[in-house]
């Protein structure tokens, strides 16, 4: 159906009426054909009975003329012969009898070969006056004379009845379609009412109320499915909008303090007209604040990148042990400076591959290991424990630093949060490293937590194995 400027309700009604019209036309055609066939068979059956009756009523008079008995009107079925067209011929084709209803017209023309020889022959003929009739032929022997009896029935009454039936159908079908169209409009309006309500509700959702959701009356039907998809879309939009607001607020909060500090130091130094040493000291402070600003901005950009990545996006399979070794190589100078000893187990899992965004996971490992190295006491141990659990690879990073209090093991993942155990530690960062690391691990379908230990801190990271990993296949066999 071409696209018309109609509402969905009108289009549904038109489709409904069109389908119903086709069904009604097919049904009317079948009924018309069935009715015509039934009446035709009824006529054939009646004519056969009339032929049998007529055979019993024929007789030859003393002069050899063929007649129909005068008392046939008294017979229960014989009065039907009044309307019948009847002609009797001998085998030479001579007409022996012709009913008055024929008005002298021949019925069916000359005899045909083997006409009426087998049971009752049926055929349609057209009389001289243009009337169509169906005739039955049958051979009958009377007083030693073999004759062919032709009994005809005009098709005019049948056609008149069928014409009346057709007119009735032509009137009834449009009326039925009109009633169906009106009912279709009402049904479509009731069916689409929830969609109208959803539209009105959706029109009222703006950036200020993205938390609103569409009401789902029946979650199992098509409209319920549509509402769930729309609500899911709203949820993702709300999450993205909240992330954007949070990022903007965090950036403004973290950038405002050092910028204000830089401005204050610069203004005070200029007002004091201090000497070169004071200017140099101020510039060093400005450089230090600038470095912190740069660190904060880099952290915020990494956080934005991690938040914008979708689960499963840019994932590839790689050997995670190589990635950890690569990060340890980057931190090698700092490790040597602190005289730390890095101990790793799980050599059997050296070739285990994981499925993740390698560049993002590298940032996560870098943040965790950098924190562990930074807060570890000189000459201590940094242990890395590898283990396989189900379809995941677990990596435990344990240092001998000040540790994280139990009540802060979840708070350290909040942005710009600094543990009170590290508040006075030298080189304390902006409080974004662990937030970024956890967000990355969550994005790749993993899990990152801190476990309470007697000394130091233990960071536990679990990442999903790739389908081709040796460890994954070993678990599949189990």
């Amino acid at each position: 159906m071409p696209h018309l400027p109609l509402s969905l309700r009108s289009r549904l009604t038109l489709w409904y009426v069109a389908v119903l019209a086709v069904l009604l036309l097919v049904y009317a055609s079948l009924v018309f054909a069935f009715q015509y066939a039934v009446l035709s068979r009824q006529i054939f059956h009646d004519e056969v009975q009339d032929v049998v009756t007529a055979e019993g009523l024929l007789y030859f008079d003393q002069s050899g003329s063929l007649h129909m008995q005068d008392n046939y009107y008294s017979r229960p079925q014989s009065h039907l012969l009044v309307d019948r067209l009847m002609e009797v011929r001998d085998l030479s084709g001579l007409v022996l009898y012709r009913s008055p209803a024929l008005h002298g017209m021949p019925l069916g023309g000359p005899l045909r070969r083997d006409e009426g020889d087998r049971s009752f022959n049926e055929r349609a003929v057209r009389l001289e006056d243009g009337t169509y009739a169906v005739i039955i032929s049958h051979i009958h022997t009377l007083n030693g004379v073999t004759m062919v009896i032709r009994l005809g029935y005009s098709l005019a009454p049948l056609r008149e009845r069928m014409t009346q039936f057709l007119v009735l159908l032509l009137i009834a079908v449009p009326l039925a379609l009109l009633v169906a169209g009106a009912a279709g409009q009402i049904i479509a309006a009731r069916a689409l009412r929830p969609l109208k309500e959803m539209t009105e509700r959706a029109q009222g959702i703006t950036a200020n109320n993205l938390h609103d959701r569409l009401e789902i009356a029946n979650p199992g039907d098509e409209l319920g499915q549509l509402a769930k998809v729309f609500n899911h879309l709203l949820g993702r939009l709300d999450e993205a909008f909240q992330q954007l607001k949070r990022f903007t607020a965090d950036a403004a909060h973290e950038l405002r303090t050092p910028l204000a500090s830089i401005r204050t130091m610069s203004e005070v130094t200029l007002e004091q007209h201090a000497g070169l040493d004071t200017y140099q000291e101020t510039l060093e402070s400005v450089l230090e604040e600038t470095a912190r600003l740069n660190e904060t901005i880099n952290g915020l950009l990494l956080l934005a990148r991690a938040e914008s990545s979708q689960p499963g996006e840019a994932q590839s399979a790689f050997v995670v042990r190589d990635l950890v070794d690569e990060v340890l190589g980057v931190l090698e100078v700092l490790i040597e400076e602190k005289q730390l000893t890095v101990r790793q187990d799980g050599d059997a899992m050296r070739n285990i591959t994981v499925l993740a965004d390698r560049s993002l996971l590298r940032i996560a490992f870098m943040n965790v290991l950098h924190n562990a190295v930074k807060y570890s006491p000189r000459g201590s141990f940094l242990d890395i424990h590898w283990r396989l659990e189900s379809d995941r690879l677990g990596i435990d990073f344990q240092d001998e630093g000040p540790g994280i209090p139990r009540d802060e093991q979840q708070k350290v993942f909040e942005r710009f949060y600094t543990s009170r155990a590290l508040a006075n530690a030298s080189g304390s960062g902006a409080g974004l490293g662990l937030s970024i690391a956890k967000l990355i691990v969550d994005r790749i379908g993993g899990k990152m937590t801190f476990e309470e230990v007697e000394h130091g801190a233990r960071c536990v990271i679990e990442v999903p194995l790739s389908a081709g990993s040796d460890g994954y296949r070993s678990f599949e066999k189990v």
Side-chain angles (χ1 to χ4, degrees):
M1 180 178 288
H3 294 288
L4 300 176
L6 299 175
S7 64
L8 178 59
R9 173 184 172 186
S10 299
R11 291 203 298 272
L12 287 176
T13 303
L14 285 178
W15 275 106
Y16 170 69
V17 172
V19 173
L20 182 62
V22 172
L23 293 178
L24 285 178
L25 288 176
V26 172
Y27 175 76
S29 300
L30 293 176
V31 170
F32 185 85
F34 178 76
Q35 184 70 9
Y36 185 84
V38 168
L39 291 177
S40 297
R41 297 314 302 170
Q42 184 63 43
I43 290 173
F44 174 77
H45 181 267
D46 291 345
E47 284 204 77
V48 169
Q49 294 297 322
D50 289 343
V51 168
V52 174
T53 302
E55 290 175 352
L57 296 175
L58 293 175
Y59 69 98
F60 287 103
D61 60 11
Q62 293 181 352
S63 62
S65 299
L66 187 63
H67 296 278
M68 185 78 73
Q69 291 185 13
D70 295 335
N71 58 350
Y72 66 93
Y73 290 103
S74 61
R75 296 178 182 270
Q77 300 296 330
S78 294
H79 67 281
L80 297 176
L81 298 178
V82 174
D83 300 328
R84 296 297 187 269
L85 309 173
M86 183 173 175
E87 185 182 79
V88 181
R89 295 175 183 248
D90 62 14
L91 296 182
S92 65
L94 178 65
V95 177
L96 301 178
Y97 175 80
R98 183 171 286 159
S99 67
L102 284 172
H103 303 292
M105 297 182 295
L107 181 62
L111 288 178
R112 295 187 173 187
R113 186 179 180 180
D114 299 331
E115 180 177 350
D117 189 20
R118 295 180 179 178
S119 185
F120 299 89
N121 296 135
E122 177 189 11
R123 61 191 172 101
V125 298
R126 184 180 182 182
L127 304 182
E128 291 179 350
D129 62 354
T131 303
Y132 287 95
V134 58
I135 63 174
I136 298 292
S137 301
H138 187 246
I139 291 180
H140 178 65
T141 301
L142 180 64
N143 296 339
V145 178
T146 303
M147 62 189 77
V148 176
I149 300 175
R150 290 175 172 174
L151 190 66
Y153 180 82
S154 174
L155 292 177
L158 173 63
R159 294 190 172 185
E160 181 180 0
R161 177 176 295 182
M162 294 308 299
T163 301
Q164 294 173 350
F165 184 62
L166 180 60
V167 171
L168 180 63
L169 289 176
L170 293 178
I171 295 175
V173 169
L175 288 177
L177 291 178
L178 287 176
V179 174
Q185 281 281 314
I186 298 173
I187 294 173
R190 291 177 62 87
L192 296 176
R193 186 180 300 166
L195 184 60
K196 182 180 179 182
E197 295 174 355
M198 290 166 55
T199 303
E200 294 174 351
R201 186 70 178 271
Q203 287 176 340
I205 296 178
T206 64
N208 297 323
N209 59 345
L210 279 176
H211 56 278
D212 286 352
R213 296 291 182 268
L214 300 181
E215 294 184 0
I216 302 176
N218 186 357
D221 63 9
E222 290 80 359
L223 292 179
Q225 295 290 334
L226 177 62
K228 286 197 292 186
V229 171
F230 189 79
N231 284 341
H232 184 60
L233 174 62
L234 284 177
R236 286 183 292 170
L237 289 176
D238 189 22
E239 182 182 357
F241 192 72
Q242 295 301 326
Q243 288 176 353
L244 180 62
K245 289 174 62 178
R246 191 164 53 246
F247 177 81
T248 304
D250 293 344
H253 178 266
E254 291 304 312
L255 297 179
R256 182 174 54 189
T257 302
L259 285 175
S261 176
I262 291 173
R263 180 175 180 176
T264 302
M265 287 188 296
S266 300
E267 289 176 349
V268 170
T269 303
L270 289 175
E271 289 175 357
Q272 290 178 347
H273 301 288
L276 183 59
D277 294 341
T278 304
Y279 284 124
Q280 185 174 358
E281 183 180 348
T282 302
L283 286 176
E284 290 175 353
S285 300
V286 169
L287 286 175
E288 184 179 350
E289 291 295 333
T290 304
R292 293 187 58 187
L293 275 174
N294 188 54
E295 182 183 353
T296 303
I297 291 171
N298 289 336
L300 289 172
L301 290 176
L302 287 175
L303 201 58
R305 181 187 171 191
E307 285 184 332
S308 62
S309 65
Q310 297 298 323
E313 186 181 44
Q315 287 190 339
S316 61
F318 56 90
V319 179
V320 68
R321 182 67 173 264
D322 294 344
L323 180 60
V324 173
D325 291 341
E326 178 183 324
V327 174
L328 290 173
V330 174
L331 299 173
E332 184 176 4
V333 176
L334 187 58
I335 293 173
E336 290 180 353
E337 181 182 344
K338 286 210 164 186
Q339 300 177 355
L340 299 181
T341 301
V342 179
R343 299 183 297 193
Q344 291 195 63
D345 59 3
D347 289 340
M349 291 173 279
R350 180 169 289 280
N351 296 322
I352 295 296
T353 59
V354 299
L355 187 63
D357 186 327
R358 193 178 190 280
S359 61
L360 286 179
L361 193 58
R362 184 179 185 277
I363 295 171
F365 287 151
M366 177 65 76
N367 290 345
V368 172
L369 285 172
H370 186 262
N371 275 354
V373 172
K374 184 167 59 176
Y375 297 115
S376 292
R378 185 178 299 275
S380 61
F381 291 94
L382 173 59
D383 293 322
I384 303 176
H385 173 63
W386 300 80
R387 52 191 166 78
L388 281 172
E389 292 184 358
S390 184
D391 57 347
R392 294 185 171 213
L393 175 64
I395 313 167
D396 301 340
F397 303 93
Q398 182 168 352
D399 59 48
E400 296 182 350
I404 299 176
R406 186 174 184 179
D407 58 340
E408 293 185 350
Q409 290 180 352
Q410 290 298 323
K411 294 181 180 179
V412 293
F413 295 122
E414 297 177 2
R415 298 174 185 184
F416 306 111
Y417 182 83
T418 302
S419 172
R420 62 176 180 270
L422 306 175
N424 299 323
S426 61
S428 179
L432 288 174
L434 292 179
S435 302
I436 295 171
K438 180 170 175 53
L439 185 59
I440 290 173
V441 174
D442 290 344
R443 278 289 190 270
I444 64 176
K447 182 180 178 183
M448 179 176 175
T449 57
F450 273 99
E451 290 184 353
E452 189 173 4
V453 291
E454 187 175 355
H455 300 291
R458 176 186 293 171
C459 179
V460 179
I461 295 179
E462 295 178 356
V463 290
L465 295 172
S466 65
S469 171
D470 292 340
Y472 189 90
R473 284 196 293 271
S474 67
F475 278 103
E476 283 186 326
K477 292 177 182 177
V478 174

